[in-house]
Amino acid sequence: GDKRWAAFAFESLATVLSAQGRVDQSLEMAEQALDLYRELGENRREALLLRSISRAHASKEDAKNALRRAQESQALCQELGDQKGEAAALECLASAFLSSKRADGE
């Protein structure tokens, strides 16, 4: 009901804010949506949003949080048997890992 609509609203706001380059505010909205999806048991939405959050952290060169969120998505997708989601999470993970190596100067 209402929580599901609130989660969609927060996720939509996160998307708009991200498109405007307001990544910090976008992350705040995404985290609120994530909390609601977890409360609702919306595991697939949660896994998808975790990948979006990972990409947002990567865009801020925050490799630690990008890696953490990508790993969470990958584990959740594996648990759900969602191979496409798991592949997308692994792609996020690889991206975050490569950006962390660039940040470390390797």
Side-chain angles (χ1 to χ4, degrees):
D2 290 344
K3 281 187 182 181
R4 182 167 283 115
W5 285 111
F8 287 142
F10 282 128
E11 186 176 1
S12 296
L13 275 171
T15 302
V16 169
L17 290 165
S18 180
Q20 294 175 343
R22 297 160 65 185
V23 179
D24 289 331
Q25 291 166 307
S26 171
L27 282 166
E28 287 175 29
M29 295 297 114
E31 291 290 344
Q32 290 192 49
L34 185 64
D35 289 342
L36 289 171
Y37 286 140
R38 285 179 171 160
E39 279 181 43
L40 293 164
E42 292 274 351
N43 297 330
R44 290 190 189 281
R45 299 293 311 172
E46 176 186 348
L48 181 64
L49 188 55
L50 282 165
R51 292 193 296 276
S52 294
I53 292 171
S54 173
R55 287 186 201 98
H57 281 298
S59 77
K60 291 177 45 172
E61 298 182 2
D62 179 356
K64 179 183 171 190
N65 282 312
L67 286 165
R68 180 173 61 92
R69 292 310 202 179
Q71 287 170 327
E72 287 178 53
S73 179
Q74 189 264 330
L76 187 55
C77 288
Q78 191 171 46
E79 185 181 306
L80 294 168
D82 178 0
Q83 292 180 333
K84 285 183 182 177
E86 190 175 358
L90 289 169
E91 185 180 345
C92 277
L93 197 56
S95 247
F97 180 75
L98 289 172
S99 69
S100 76
K101 290 297 177 192
R102 283 192 295 274
D104 291 342
E106 292 182 28

XYZ file of all heavy atoms in Angstrom:
812
model
N 0.776 -1.178 0.000
C 0.000 0.000 0.000
C 0.834 1.267 0.000
O 1.598 1.540 -0.916
N 0.660 2.024 1.056
C 1.291 3.341 1.157
C 2.812 3.280 1.179
O 3.481 4.109 0.567
C 0.792 4.072 2.406
C -0.667 4.489 2.277
O -1.191 4.491 1.146
O -1.270 4.814 3.308
N 3.364 2.276 1.879
C 4.827 2.162 1.945
C 5.414 1.869 0.574
O 6.473 2.377 0.224
C 5.248 1.070 2.932
C 5.188 1.502 4.368
C 5.778 0.442 5.271
C 5.673 0.882 6.723
N 6.255 -0.106 7.617
N 4.707 1.035 -0.192
C 5.203 0.700 -1.538
C 5.239 1.962 -2.407
O 6.212 2.224 -3.107
C 4.313 -0.376 -2.161
C 4.783 -0.817 -3.529
C 4.094 -2.083 -4.008
N 4.681 -3.232 -3.315
C 4.017 -4.008 -2.466
N 2.759 -3.780 -2.187
N 4.611 -5.031 -1.893
N 4.160 2.772 -2.336
C 4.122 4.018 -3.120
C 5.195 4.992 -2.643
O 5.819 5.674 -3.450
C 2.738 4.666 -3.058
C 1.749 3.933 -3.906
C 0.682 3.200 -3.472
C 1.758 3.814 -5.331
N 0.025 2.634 -4.541
C 0.654 2.997 -5.696
C 2.582 4.308 -6.331
C 0.364 2.680 -7.020
C 2.284 3.995 -7.652
C 1.200 3.187 -7.981
N 5.410 5.046 -1.332
C 6.458 5.928 -0.796
C 7.826 5.488 -1.301
O 8.656 6.321 -1.700
C 6.418 5.935 0.727
N 8.052 4.185 -1.318
C 9.334 3.662 -1.811
C 9.535 4.042 -3.276
O 10.616 4.497 -3.671
C 9.392 2.146 -1.632
N 8.475 3.858 -4.096
C 8.560 4.243 -5.512
C 8.833 5.741 -5.649
O 9.613 6.160 -6.499
C 7.270 3.902 -6.259
C 7.068 2.437 -6.523
C 5.800 1.882 -6.434
C 8.118 1.600 -6.873
C 5.594 0.524 -6.680
C 7.929 0.250 -7.119
C 6.653 -0.291 -7.023
N 8.184 6.537 -4.806
C 8.371 7.995 -4.869
C 9.807 8.371 -4.527
O 10.432 9.178 -5.228
C 7.395 8.698 -3.928
N 10.347 7.775 -3.454
C 11.733 8.065 -3.076
C 12.697 7.627 -4.182
O 13.649 8.336 -4.512
C 12.112 7.366 -1.765
C 11.586 8.035 -0.534
C 10.868 7.312 0.412
C 11.822 9.381 -0.289
C 10.384 7.914 1.575
C 11.349 10.005 0.863
C 10.627 9.263 1.790
N 12.426 6.456 -4.769
C 13.296 5.963 -5.836
C 13.230 6.881 -7.057
O 14.257 7.187 -7.673
C 12.903 4.532 -6.215
C 13.856 3.909 -7.202
C 13.546 2.459 -7.508
O 12.561 1.897 -6.980
O 14.305 1.884 -8.307
N 12.029 7.352 -7.388
C 11.870 8.272 -8.520
C 12.589 9.590 -8.267
O 13.266 10.126 -9.153
C 10.390 8.540 -8.785
O 9.751 7.358 -9.182
N 12.457 10.109 -7.050
C 13.165 11.340 -6.682
C 14.679 11.139 -6.792
O 15.393 12.019 -7.274
C 12.816 11.765 -5.256
C 11.565 12.602 -5.089
C 11.223 12.749 -3.609
C 11.758 13.969 -5.708
N 15.141 9.983 -6.347
C 16.576 9.685 -6.423
C 17.051 9.729 -7.867
O 18.114 10.292 -8.171
C 16.865 8.321 -5.802
N 16.244 9.169 -8.773
C 16.595 9.147 -10.195
C 16.674 10.562 -10.758
O 17.633 10.911 -11.464
C 15.567 8.306 -10.982
O 15.553 6.982 -10.430
C 15.909 8.244 -12.448
N 15.673 11.381 -10.439
C 15.642 12.766 -10.929
C 16.831 13.552 -10.382
O 17.529 14.260 -11.125
C 14.308 13.447 -10.556
C 14.362 14.944 -10.823
C 13.157 12.800 -11.311
N 17.080 13.434 -9.087
C 18.186 14.167 -8.463
C 19.531 13.735 -9.046
O 20.412 14.565 -9.284
C 18.171 13.965 -6.944
C 17.018 14.662 -6.216
C 16.871 14.118 -4.800
C 17.234 16.167 -6.191
N 19.673 12.450 -9.300
C 20.911 11.942 -9.898
C 21.108 12.534 -11.289
O 22.216 12.950 -11.643
C 20.861 10.421 -9.961
O 22.029 9.912 -10.535
N 20.039 12.568 -12.073
C 20.108 13.136 -13.430
C 20.483 14.613 -13.398
O 21.097 15.124 -14.336
C 18.778 12.948 -14.148
N 20.143 15.298 -12.305
C 20.487 16.710 -12.140
C 21.891 16.889 -11.559
O 22.310 18.018 -11.320
C 19.472 17.399 -11.217
C 18.090 17.485 -11.798
C 17.073 18.056 -10.811
O 17.309 18.117 -9.602
N 15.942 18.482 -11.325
N 22.585 15.783 -11.295
C 23.924 15.860 -10.742
C 23.950 16.082 -9.233
O 24.995 16.372 -8.666
N 22.814 15.927 -8.583
C 22.722 16.128 -7.136
C 22.833 14.767 -6.447
O 21.871 14.237 -5.880
C 21.421 16.843 -6.806
C 21.373 18.239 -7.443
C 19.996 18.810 -7.579
N 19.351 19.060 -6.287
C 18.096 19.476 -6.169
N 17.363 19.695 -7.243
N 17.578 19.674 -4.975
N 24.035 14.200 -6.525
C 24.264 12.813 -6.125
C 24.035 12.596 -4.629
O 23.423 11.596 -4.236
C 25.675 12.335 -6.551
C 25.921 10.898 -6.125
C 25.834 12.475 -8.057
N 24.499 13.505 -3.788
C 24.310 13.317 -2.340
C 22.831 13.265 -1.974
O 22.399 12.395 -1.208
C 25.012 14.422 -1.538
C 26.523 14.288 -1.574
O 27.016 13.147 -1.699
O 27.210 15.322 -1.488
N 22.044 14.167 -2.534
C 20.606 14.180 -2.261
C 19.942 12.942 -2.869
O 19.031 12.367 -2.274
C 19.966 15.454 -2.812
C 20.394 16.691 -2.039
C 20.042 17.955 -2.802
O 20.395 18.098 -3.961
N 19.355 18.875 -2.136
N 20.419 12.535 -4.023
C 19.905 11.335 -4.670
C 20.132 10.115 -3.777
O 19.237 9.277 -3.607
C 20.600 11.132 -6.011
O 20.267 9.878 -6.557
N 21.316 10.025 -3.204
C 21.638 8.899 -2.321
C 20.746 8.887 -1.085
O 20.326 7.821 -0.630
C 23.117 8.924 -1.915
C 24.074 8.404 -2.984
C 25.511 8.767 -2.647
C 23.915 6.892 -3.143
N 20.447 10.062 -0.543
C 19.552 10.136 0.624
C 18.184 9.551 0.284
O 17.612 8.777 1.059
C 19.387 11.590 1.084
C 20.592 12.168 1.777
C 20.411 13.650 2.111
O 19.266 14.078 2.328
O 21.431 14.355 2.153
N 17.642 9.928 -0.865
C 16.328 9.421 -1.288
C 16.390 7.917 -1.559
O 15.484 7.165 -1.175
C 15.848 10.141 -2.553
C 15.570 11.617 -2.396
S 14.232 11.950 -1.231
C 15.142 12.788 0.048
N 17.461 7.484 -2.204
C 17.616 6.064 -2.521
C 17.700 5.221 -1.252
O 17.124 4.134 -1.176
C 18.857 5.851 -3.388
N 18.411 5.727 -0.251
C 18.531 4.990 1.022
C 17.173 4.886 1.714
O 16.857 3.862 2.325
C 19.561 5.648 1.945
C 21.002 5.532 1.457
C 21.583 4.121 1.528
O 21.016 3.249 2.224
O 22.622 3.891 0.883
N 16.347 5.928 1.613
C 15.000 5.868 2.205
C 14.151 4.830 1.469
O 13.424 4.051 2.101
C 14.338 7.244 2.179
C 15.002 8.198 3.169
C 14.196 9.455 3.374
O 12.999 9.388 3.616
N 14.855 10.599 3.289
N 14.251 4.812 0.148
C 13.523 3.808 -0.636
C 14.005 2.405 -0.266
O 13.196 1.485 -0.095
C 13.716 4.059 -2.127
N 15.315 2.264 -0.118
C 15.900 0.968 0.226
C 15.352 0.454 1.553
O 14.979 -0.715 1.670
C 17.425 1.094 0.279
C 18.213 -0.188 0.501
C 18.011 -1.154 -0.655
C 19.683 0.135 0.680
N 15.282 1.325 2.552
C 14.741 0.931 3.863
C 13.309 0.420 3.712
O 12.940 -0.602 4.312
C 14.770 2.102 4.848
C 16.178 2.474 5.302
O 17.106 1.644 5.138
O 16.338 3.587 5.824
N 12.514 1.126 2.917
C 11.116 0.721 2.727
C 11.018 -0.602 1.962
O 10.213 -1.472 2.323
C 10.335 1.817 2.009
C 10.061 3.064 2.847
C 9.479 4.178 1.982
C 9.129 2.744 4.003
N 11.819 -0.770 0.920
C 11.800 -2.032 0.182
C 12.168 -3.195 1.100
O 11.593 -4.279 1.000
C 12.739 -1.995 -1.026
C 12.232 -1.179 -2.187
C 13.073 -0.367 -2.919
C 10.888 -1.230 -2.569
C 12.619 0.372 -4.001
C 10.416 -0.489 -3.646
C 11.287 0.310 -4.350
O 10.815 1.037 -5.421
N 13.122 -2.967 1.992
C 13.504 -4.024 2.934
C 12.360 -4.345 3.891
O 12.096 -5.509 4.162
C 14.765 -3.614 3.698
C 16.000 -3.722 2.829
C 17.245 -3.315 3.545
N 18.411 -3.651 2.716
C 19.601 -3.108 2.850
N 19.822 -2.193 3.782
N 20.594 -3.469 2.061
N 11.696 -3.316 4.395
C 10.540 -3.530 5.272
C 9.447 -4.326 4.573
O 8.772 -5.147 5.195
C 9.937 -2.187 5.715
C 10.636 -1.509 6.855
C 9.939 -0.207 7.233
O 8.686 -0.176 7.290
O 10.655 0.782 7.467
N 9.255 -4.041 3.300
C 8.196 -4.683 2.514
C 8.577 -6.069 1.994
O 7.733 -6.781 1.457
C 7.821 -3.786 1.320
C 7.157 -2.465 1.661
C 7.208 -1.518 0.466
C 5.712 -2.704 2.096
N 9.870 -6.413 2.114
C 10.330 -7.691 1.579
C 10.404 -7.707 0.059
O 10.337 -8.761 -0.567
N 10.549 -6.516 -0.518
C 10.661 -6.375 -1.986
C 12.115 -6.619 -2.399
O 12.854 -5.693 -2.730
C 10.214 -4.975 -2.413
C 8.753 -4.701 -2.225
C 7.911 -5.152 -3.402
O 8.479 -5.525 -4.452
O 6.690 -5.147 -3.255
N 12.515 -7.888 -2.386
C 13.927 -8.235 -2.581
C 14.480 -7.869 -3.954
O 15.617 -7.435 -4.075
C 14.149 -9.727 -2.321
C 13.838 -10.106 -0.893
O 13.987 -9.299 0.020
N 13.389 -11.327 -0.691
N 13.673 -8.054 -4.979
C 14.166 -7.729 -6.332
C 14.346 -6.218 -6.505
O 15.322 -5.776 -7.094
C 13.232 -8.297 -7.397
C 13.295 -9.806 -7.454
C 12.563 -10.378 -8.648
N 12.467 -11.825 -8.559
C 13.455 -12.673 -8.852
N 14.611 -12.220 -9.267
N 13.284 -13.974 -8.748
N 13.403 -5.449 -5.990
C 13.532 -3.984 -6.044
C 14.757 -3.552 -5.219
O 15.492 -2.650 -5.612
C 12.285 -3.283 -5.513
C 11.004 -3.551 -6.248
C 10.923 -3.018 -7.642
N 11.310 -1.631 -7.790
C 11.449 -1.034 -8.957
N 11.196 -1.681 -10.061
N 11.823 0.219 -9.021
N 14.936 -4.195 -4.073
C 16.081 -3.890 -3.213
C 17.395 -4.147 -3.962
O 18.295 -3.302 -3.959
C 16.018 -4.751 -1.951
C 17.192 -4.589 -1.026
C 17.184 -5.555 0.153
O 16.158 -6.213 0.400
O 18.223 -5.642 0.825
N 17.494 -5.294 -4.605
C 18.721 -5.656 -5.322
C 19.005 -4.664 -6.450
O 20.150 -4.233 -6.648
C 18.618 -7.074 -5.875
N 17.954 -4.286 -7.177
C 18.103 -3.323 -8.264
C 18.552 -1.961 -7.735
O 19.467 -1.331 -8.282
C 16.766 -3.193 -9.010
C 16.717 -2.260 -10.202
C 17.630 -2.763 -11.303
C 15.284 -2.171 -10.710
N 17.926 -1.529 -6.659
C 18.264 -0.228 -6.079
C 19.680 -0.232 -5.506
O 20.395 0.765 -5.612
C 17.239 0.150 -5.002
C 17.350 1.553 -4.435
C 17.313 2.622 -5.519
C 16.231 1.783 -3.416
N 20.099 -1.351 -4.930
C 21.474 -1.444 -4.417
C 22.487 -1.207 -5.538
O 23.516 -0.563 -5.332
C 21.716 -2.811 -3.763
C 21.140 -2.986 -2.375
C 21.113 -4.464 -1.985
C 21.934 -2.174 -1.344
N 22.179 -1.701 -6.738
C 23.091 -1.468 -7.871
C 23.110 0.008 -8.250
O 24.178 0.566 -8.528
C 22.699 -2.344 -9.062
C 22.941 -3.816 -8.784
C 22.861 -4.673 -10.026
N 21.566 -4.735 -10.683
C 20.575 -5.555 -10.331
N 20.713 -6.372 -9.296
N 19.440 -5.569 -11.023
N 21.954 0.643 -8.226
C 21.906 2.085 -8.521
C 22.688 2.878 -7.479
O 23.416 3.820 -7.820
C 20.453 2.575 -8.539
O 19.750 1.991 -9.593
N 22.548 2.477 -6.224
C 23.280 3.149 -5.145
C 24.784 2.936 -5.327
O 25.578 3.860 -5.138
C 22.790 2.660 -3.765
C 21.347 3.139 -3.519
C 23.713 3.131 -2.650
C 20.674 2.530 -2.292
N 25.164 1.730 -5.720
C 26.579 1.439 -5.965
C 27.134 2.356 -7.058
O 28.209 2.944 -6.902
C 26.750 -0.027 -6.381
O 28.076 -0.285 -6.771
N 26.362 2.501 -8.152
C 26.822 3.370 -9.253
C 26.940 4.821 -8.808
O 27.863 5.530 -9.214
C 25.862 3.252 -10.436
C 25.972 1.946 -11.174
C 25.098 1.922 -12.431
N 24.843 0.563 -12.828
C 23.739 -0.132 -12.542
N 22.752 0.430 -11.860
N 23.606 -1.368 -12.946
N 26.010 5.260 -7.968
C 26.054 6.643 -7.471
C 27.301 6.864 -6.611
O 27.983 7.880 -6.748
C 24.796 6.968 -6.672
N 27.594 5.900 -5.751
C 28.809 6.017 -4.936
C 30.058 6.019 -5.821
O 30.989 6.799 -5.584
C 28.893 4.889 -3.911
C 28.031 5.082 -2.707
N 28.192 6.146 -1.839
C 26.990 4.358 -2.221
C 27.288 6.055 -0.872
N 26.545 4.988 -1.083
N 30.043 5.181 -6.847
C 31.188 5.127 -7.768
C 31.364 6.466 -8.477
O 32.492 6.921 -8.677
C 31.003 3.998 -8.776
N 30.253 7.112 -8.818
C 30.346 8.410 -9.503
C 30.961 9.480 -8.606
O 31.514 10.456 -9.083
C 28.972 8.864 -10.003
O 28.186 9.381 -8.950
N 30.856 9.265 -7.294
C 31.460 10.187 -6.325
C 32.875 9.747 -5.929
O 33.479 10.315 -5.045
C 30.623 10.227 -5.036
C 29.283 10.866 -5.169
C 28.520 10.789 -3.855
C 29.404 11.172 -2.691
N 28.736 11.299 -1.414
N 33.349 8.692 -6.596
C 34.657 8.095 -6.299
C 34.731 7.580 -4.861
O 35.771 7.619 -4.213
C 35.796 9.063 -6.622
C 35.832 9.407 -8.102
C 36.982 10.321 -8.485
O 37.799 10.667 -7.613
O 37.046 10.684 -9.661
N 33.583 7.095 -4.367
C 33.489 6.472 -3.048
C 33.486 4.960 -3.263
O 32.442 4.307 -3.232
C 32.205 6.937 -2.344
C 32.021 6.319 -0.971
O 32.832 5.463 -0.574
O 31.036 6.692 -0.301
N 34.683 4.430 -3.525
C 34.816 3.021 -3.897
C 34.369 2.085 -2.781
O 33.743 1.058 -3.049
C 36.257 2.725 -4.290
N 34.643 2.432 -1.536
C 34.290 1.559 -0.407
C 32.786 1.282 -0.383
O 32.356 0.133 -0.320
C 34.737 2.204 0.904
C 34.390 1.399 2.131
C 34.799 2.136 3.400
C 34.252 1.431 4.619
N 34.426 2.220 5.836
N 31.977 2.342 -0.449
C 30.529 2.164 -0.420
C 30.000 1.589 -1.730
O 29.031 0.829 -1.725
C 29.827 3.474 -0.070
C 29.898 3.750 1.414
O 29.624 2.879 2.235
N 30.280 4.964 1.775
N 30.630 1.921 -2.846
C 30.229 1.345 -4.132
C 30.425 -0.175 -4.105
O 29.536 -0.934 -4.511
C 31.023 1.974 -5.271
N 31.568 -0.601 -3.609
C 31.856 -2.041 -3.509
C 30.874 -2.731 -2.555
O 30.334 -3.793 -2.869
C 33.293 -2.274 -3.024
C 34.391 -1.996 -4.042
C 35.750 -1.910 -3.357
C 34.410 -3.086 -5.115
N 30.631 -2.110 -1.415
C 29.754 -2.703 -0.394
C 28.344 -2.912 -0.946
O 27.763 -3.993 -0.810
C 29.730 -1.808 0.849
C 28.854 -2.325 1.975
C 29.017 -1.476 3.232
N 28.647 -0.087 3.043
C 27.422 0.407 3.278
N 26.467 -0.376 3.709
N 27.181 1.684 3.085
N 27.806 -1.895 -1.599
C 26.438 -1.991 -2.116
C 26.347 -2.984 -3.281
O 25.367 -3.725 -3.405
C 25.908 -0.625 -2.528
C 25.677 0.313 -1.351
C 24.868 -0.336 -0.271
N 24.226 0.663 0.581
C 23.444 0.367 1.592
N 23.192 -0.886 1.893
N 22.899 1.321 2.313
N 27.371 -3.033 -4.128
C 27.384 -3.998 -5.236
C 27.450 -5.425 -4.695
O 26.764 -6.323 -5.201
C 28.561 -3.722 -6.172
N 28.239 -5.634 -3.643
C 28.334 -6.961 -3.031
C 26.995 -7.368 -2.414
O 26.579 -8.523 -2.529
C 29.425 -6.992 -1.962
C 30.820 -6.973 -2.538
C 31.892 -6.765 -1.486
O 31.695 -6.078 -0.489
N 33.046 -7.361 -1.709
N 26.317 -6.425 -1.776
C 25.002 -6.721 -1.195
C 24.020 -7.138 -2.290
O 23.259 -8.095 -2.121
C 24.440 -5.499 -0.467
C 25.117 -5.176 0.842
C 24.524 -3.924 1.487
O 23.292 -3.865 1.666
O 25.298 -2.998 1.785
N 24.031 -6.418 -3.406
C 23.136 -6.736 -4.513
C 23.459 -8.105 -5.088
O 22.556 -8.915 -5.343
C 23.241 -5.669 -5.605
O 22.398 -6.005 -6.684
N 24.714 -8.378 -5.269
C 25.137 -9.665 -5.833
C 24.698 -10.821 -4.922
O 24.145 -11.813 -5.395
C 26.664 -9.661 -6.030
C 27.197 -10.857 -6.798
C 27.687 -11.970 -5.913
O 28.154 -11.745 -4.798
N 27.597 -13.188 -6.391
N 24.899 -10.690 -3.626
C 24.514 -11.746 -2.683
C 23.003 -11.959 -2.690
O 22.521 -13.098 -2.678
C 25.006 -11.397 -1.277
N 22.257 -10.864 -2.726
C 20.798 -10.950 -2.736
C 20.300 -11.613 -4.018
O 19.424 -12.488 -3.981
C 20.192 -9.555 -2.561
C 18.685 -9.453 -2.384
C 18.188 -10.310 -1.224
C 18.292 -7.995 -2.147
N 20.882 -11.229 -5.146
C 20.488 -11.833 -6.426
C 20.814 -13.323 -6.448
O 20.020 -14.131 -6.955
C 21.173 -11.131 -7.593
S 20.506 -9.488 -7.901
N 21.940 -13.670 -5.880
C 22.330 -15.082 -5.818
C 21.312 -15.864 -4.983
O 20.862 -16.934 -5.370
C 23.738 -15.204 -5.219
C 24.345 -16.572 -5.351
C 25.798 -16.572 -4.934
O 26.148 -16.021 -3.897
N 26.643 -17.192 -5.729
N 20.925 -15.278 -3.860
C 19.929 -15.884 -2.972
C 18.582 -16.058 -3.691
O 17.881 -17.048 -3.488
C 19.763 -14.975 -1.749
C 18.873 -15.474 -0.653
C 18.804 -14.455 0.476
O 19.871 -14.052 0.996
O 17.673 -14.068 0.834
N 18.230 -15.087 -4.535
C 16.958 -15.108 -5.262
C 17.004 -15.985 -6.517
O 15.980 -16.222 -7.144
C 16.563 -13.688 -5.678
C 16.232 -12.711 -4.568
C 16.143 -11.289 -5.119
C 14.935 -13.106 -3.883
N 18.199 -16.417 -6.905
C 18.349 -17.176 -8.135
C 18.202 -16.302 -9.373
O 17.859 -16.774 -10.455
N 18.470 -15.009 -9.209
C 18.335 -14.025 -10.300
C 19.690 -13.878 -10.985
O 20.526 -13.070 -10.583
C 17.859 -12.691 -9.721
C 17.740 -11.582 -10.752
O 18.022 -11.822 -11.948
O 17.368 -10.466 -10.354
N 19.908 -14.683 -12.031
C 21.211 -14.692 -12.694
C 21.513 -13.393 -13.429
O 22.646 -12.919 -13.409
C 21.315 -15.876 -13.644
C 21.347 -17.206 -12.906
C 21.456 -18.383 -13.848
O 21.027 -18.322 -14.999
N 22.026 -19.471 -13.360
N 20.493 -12.800 -14.058
C 20.713 -11.530 -14.761
C 21.074 -10.436 -13.757
O 21.974 -9.632 -13.998
C 19.479 -11.122 -15.558
C 19.274 -11.919 -16.810
C 18.075 -11.422 -17.594
C 17.866 -12.269 -18.832
N 16.667 -11.866 -19.567
N 20.360 -10.397 -12.641
C 20.650 -9.417 -11.592
C 22.035 -9.625 -11.011
O 22.759 -8.674 -10.745
N 22.386 -10.896 -10.828
C 23.713 -11.200 -10.288
C 24.807 -10.758 -11.258
O 25.821 -10.183 -10.834
C 23.831 -12.702 -10.007
C 25.079 -13.047 -9.227
C 25.171 -14.511 -8.828
O 24.243 -15.295 -9.111
O 26.198 -14.862 -8.235
N 24.592 -10.972 -12.543
C 25.564 -10.528 -13.549
C 25.696 -9.007 -13.523
O 26.812 -8.470 -13.587
C 25.148 -11.006 -14.940
N 24.565 -8.315 -13.419
C 24.602 -6.843 -13.352
C 25.321 -6.382 -12.089
O 26.085 -5.410 -12.119
C 23.178 -6.284 -13.386
N 25.101 -7.088 -10.981
C 25.778 -6.736 -9.727
C 27.282 -6.972 -9.842
O 28.085 -6.169 -9.353
C 25.194 -7.539 -8.565
N 27.665 -8.052 -10.510
C 29.091 -8.327 -10.700
C 29.738 -7.269 -11.582
O 30.889 -6.888 -11.356
C 29.297 -9.732 -11.282
C 29.012 -10.876 -10.308
C 28.990 -12.213 -11.039
C 30.030 -10.896 -9.167
N 28.979 -6.773 -12.558
C 29.478 -5.685 -13.403
C 29.705 -4.425 -12.551
O 30.728 -3.751 -12.682
C 28.490 -5.403 -14.527
C 28.966 -4.374 -15.513
C 27.953 -4.110 -16.615
O 27.013 -4.897 -16.792
O 28.130 -3.088 -17.302
N 28.759 -4.122 -11.664
C 28.905 -2.980 -10.743
C 30.119 -3.184 -9.845
O 30.877 -2.254 -9.585
C 27.676 -2.833 -9.842
S 26.319 -1.960 -10.572
N 30.257 -4.402 -9.368
C 31.373 -4.740 -8.488
C 32.704 -4.531 -9.200
O 33.629 -3.918 -8.647
C 31.219 -6.188 -8.030
C 31.992 -6.666 -6.827
C 31.705 -5.812 -5.610
C 31.647 -8.112 -6.538
N 32.794 -4.988 -10.435
C 34.020 -4.821 -11.221
C 34.311 -3.344 -11.453
O 35.449 -2.894 -11.314
C 33.893 -5.563 -12.544
N 33.281 -2.588 -11.790
C 33.435 -1.146 -12.011
C 33.935 -0.441 -10.760
O 34.851 0.378 -10.816
C 32.079 -0.557 -12.368
O 32.045 -0.120 -13.657
N 33.317 -0.775 -9.634
C 33.708 -0.161 -8.359
C 35.140 -0.545 -8.002
O 35.924 0.285 -7.540
C 32.753 -0.584 -7.252
N 35.486 -1.810 -8.245
C 36.838 -2.275 -7.944
C 37.866 -1.553 -8.808
O 38.886 -1.073 -8.298
C 36.935 -3.786 -8.168
C 38.298 -4.347 -7.869
C 38.709 -4.516 -6.549
C 39.157 -4.681 -8.889
C 39.975 -5.023 -6.268
C 40.417 -5.188 -8.616
C 40.827 -5.363 -7.306
N 37.564 -1.397 -10.094
C 38.498 -0.704 -10.998
C 38.644 0.766 -10.599
O 39.746 1.303 -10.616
C 38.038 -0.819 -12.450
C 38.181 -2.203 -13.058
C 37.524 -2.256 -14.424
C 39.647 -2.605 -13.139
N 37.548 1.402 -10.201
C 37.647 2.805 -9.805
C 38.421 2.927 -8.490
O 39.131 3.898 -8.276
C 36.274 3.467 -9.709
O 35.525 2.967 -8.643
N 38.323 1.921 -7.615
C 39.089 1.961 -6.364
C 40.576 1.832 -6.655
O 41.400 2.459 -6.012
C 38.627 0.874 -5.385
O 39.110 -0.389 -5.757
N 40.912 1.025 -7.655
C 42.328 0.853 -8.025
C 42.874 2.137 -8.649
O 44.001 2.529 -8.372
C 42.497 -0.327 -9.012
C 42.261 -1.656 -8.359
C 43.297 -1.875 -7.274
C 43.090 -3.147 -6.531
N 43.903 -3.231 -5.330
N 42.032 2.818 -9.453
C 42.470 4.100 -10.041
C 42.667 5.137 -8.931
O 43.612 5.892 -8.955
C 41.453 4.601 -11.066
C 41.529 3.883 -12.398
C 40.723 4.592 -13.462
N 39.304 4.597 -13.178
C 38.467 3.621 -13.501
N 38.899 2.558 -14.124
N 37.178 3.727 -13.209
N 41.781 5.116 -7.943
C 41.878 6.062 -6.834
C 43.137 5.805 -6.013
O 43.732 6.736 -5.464
C 40.644 5.972 -5.942
N 43.543 4.532 -5.952
C 44.753 4.184 -5.220
C 46.012 4.410 -6.043
O 47.116 4.215 -5.574
C 44.728 2.695 -4.794
C 43.693 2.415 -3.725
O 43.228 3.372 -3.066
O 43.339 1.239 -3.539
N 45.824 4.780 -7.311
C 46.954 5.060 -8.173
C 47.593 3.825 -8.783
O 48.731 3.844 -9.199
N 46.859 2.735 -8.807
C 47.396 1.497 -9.385
C 47.059 1.371 -10.838
O 46.131 1.896 -11.345
C 46.834 0.283 -8.618
C 47.372 0.231 -7.210
C 46.849 -0.989 -6.456
O 46.543 -2.012 -7.097
O 46.762 -0.928 -5.242
